[in-house]
Amino acid sequence: MIVVAMLALAAGTYLIRLAGPLLRTRITFPPGAEKLLDASAVVLLTALVAVTALTEGDGAADAARPAGVLVGGVLAWRKAPFMATVLAAAATTAVLRLL
Amino acid sequence: MTNTRESFILDYVRSIWRTVDRDIALVCLAVGVTSVSYGAIAVASGLPFWFPVVMGTLVLAGSSEFLFVGIVGAGGSPIAAVLAGLLVNSRHLPYGLALPDVLGGGWRRWLGVHLMNDESVVFALTRKDAARSYWTCGFGILLCWPLGALLGAGLGSAVSDPNTFGLDAMFPAVILALILPSLRDTRARRPALLGAVIAVACVPVLPVGLPLLASLAALAALPLLNRGLRTEAPTAEQGPTGVVEQEPQGSAGVAEQERQGPAGVVEREGRGRAGAGMGERGQA
């Protein structure tokens, strides 16, 4: 039963992933709609950052996580190298949790 | 004889070190470490050791797998676990719609869509070498996620919480660092911030996964948000690295197959704004 459930999740997820590129090649979207699709990715990814940085389950995350992400965000805004940005975010959160 | 062979191997290692995409490698490594805890949690919930590995390979979408294992482990119904997992993965539909043409045709597309995840999509959207970044990141995660799960399943309860190392801050920081160049554009920033507010506000009231979809409602306010910006050509600014755009301004007028959305996200293998910034730094 559990294996069937796992396969169902795998198949469903594959179809969700397939749907976008398939629609994009089959249907010619009007230019306005294409712009909207491009904008949607940035909206979605920004929302993903906000949700994963600020929340845990249906409540708030502990303050160490958003603090780390904020440090990473400031570094990225100041054009620090990607690796420094990401490692600084993790390090900040880790250190704050030690305190 | 041995000497030449050794130096050959050394050269080989050096060339790998030079050619390996360190940013993507770091992201994949972080995914792998997260996956160790996923594997450990899965076996702790009473699932066999192969389960998180097989599921990691076939589903290949971390947060939905965590959720699935969590629900099943707590004695919830497998059907509820599937539905919750699908809801979390629903964001891959808009990802697929916005994804630049990186998949190619034929069998490559059937494999390529499976490699679609937050990280591979964001690399494809923000880098000059969109296709290569997408496939490298996709394969890297296809390798690291199940391998990490196998390691975690083997170690079991010996695995410590990866949040101790701040790994939970790493994922949002990765996505944020990659999309920031796009967010320097006011036209992209306004709907993105509104979407983020909507999503976070929906977290307490909507089931997991749906708040992200709800963020897309911000697009409905696009004309309102960008009022007054209409006349401003989105590409007439400088790149995020301060490098002056090599392109003549106004991507709409450029005959190349290089389109830039209002979001400032690079389409195709273009040399657009966001791509130029990320691409240059990406290989540093």
Side-chain angles (χ1 to χ4, degrees):
Chain A
M1 182 58 195
I2 194 76
V3 173
V4 175
M6 180 247 280
L7 292 176
L9 178 59
T13 303
Y14 186 82
L15 290 177
I16 292 170
R17 283 178 167 134
L18 184 65
L22 221 53
L23 281 171
R24 197 82 192 235
T25 51
R26 295 281 156 88
I27 302 169
T28 321
F29 290 96
E34 290 218 343
K35 277 189 176 176
L36 217 58
L37 292 181
D38 295 340
S40 70
V42 172
V43 170
L44 208 59
L45 288 164
T46 310
L48 184 67
V49 170
V51 168
T52 51
L54 300 172
T55 71
E56 175 73 50
D58 54 7
D62 73 321
R65 194 197 299 167
V69 178
L70 185 68
V71 167
V74 169
L75 285 175
W77 188 259
R78 308 200 60 173
K79 290 156 190 166
F82 176 78
M83 205 169 283
T85 300
V86 171
L87 292 177
T92 305
T93 301
V95 168
L96 285 176
R97 287 210 176 111
L98 278 178
L99 302 177
Chain B
M1 195 68 179
T2 323
N3 247 345
T4 44
R5 190 182 297 160
E6 271 171 11
S7 80
F8 171 78
I9 293 171
L10 265 177
D11 280 348
Y12 185 67
V13 170
R14 262 191 226 116
S15 84
I16 287 183
W17 175 244
R18 248 181 276 120
T19 48
V20 82
D21 196 317
R22 272 167 248 164
D23 290 354
I24 290 181
L26 174 71
V27 169
C28 293
L29 188 70
V31 165
V33 176
T34 308
S35 183
V36 173
S37 76
Y38 155 65
I41 289 169
V43 289
S45 333
L47 292 163
F49 80 95
W50 52 265
F51 192 92
V53 184
V54 174
M55 185 164 168
T57 312
L58 295 181
V59 177
L60 198 60
S63 42
S64 71
E65 294 169 44
F66 264 113
L67 194 63
F68 183 97
V69 167
I71 292 174
V72 170
S77 103
I79 293 169
V82 171
L83 291 178
L86 288 176
L87 219 52
V88 170
N89 291 339
S90 58
R91 67 183 184 283
H92 291 88
L93 177 62
Y95 280 169
L97 284 170
L99 191 68
D101 193 12
V102 296
L103 298 173
W107 64 269
R108 288 190 45 168
R109 193 208 287 170
W110 301 102
L111 173 64
V113 290
H114 186 54
L115 304 182
M116 188 189 296
N117 55 51
D118 303 309
E119 291 90 348
S120 64
V121 168
V122 80
F123 273 116
L125 284 169
T126 55
R127 275 189 164 186
K128 244 193 300 190
D129 51 349
R132 207 184 63 96
S133 299
Y134 178 86
W135 286 86
T136 308
C137 184
F139 272 125
I141 288 178
L142 178 62
L143 193 72
C144 291
W145 182 254
L147 272 182
L150 182 64
L151 190 63
L155 294 172
S157 53
V159 174
S160 63
D161 184 4
N163 287 5
T164 315
F165 311 111
L167 232 76
D168 53 329
M170 216 158 154
F171 174 75
V174 163
I175 308 287
L176 181 60
L178 291 173
I179 56 167
L180 255 186
S182 310
L183 291 179
R184 286 174 195 270
D185 181 355
T186 318
R187 285 164 173 275
R189 191 168 60 238
R190 286 181 184 174
L193 292 180
L194 178 62
V197 170
I198 295 174
V200 172
C202 287
V203 164
V205 287
L206 292 181
V208 204
L210 279 187
L212 285 179
L213 289 189
S215 74
L216 292 175
L219 293 173
L222 214 51
L224 202 70
L225 289 170
N226 286 343
R227 193 191 290 173
L229 296 173
R230 281 279 153 211
T231 48
E232 187 187 316
T235 49
E237 302 161 18
Q238 284 193 335
T241 44
V243 178
V244 181
E245 203 62 38
Q246 316 126 309
E247 285 290 319
Q249 36 157 254
S251 58
V254 180
E256 300 281 310
Q257 72 284 57
E258 183 188 340
R259 284 178 305 129
Q260 221 170 334
V265 166
V266 187
E267 283 270 321
R268 313 279 176 260
E269 306 268 359
R271 291 139 293 168
R273 191 148 34 98
M278 292 320 297
E280 279 157 21
R281 247 182 298 157
Q283 305 295 334

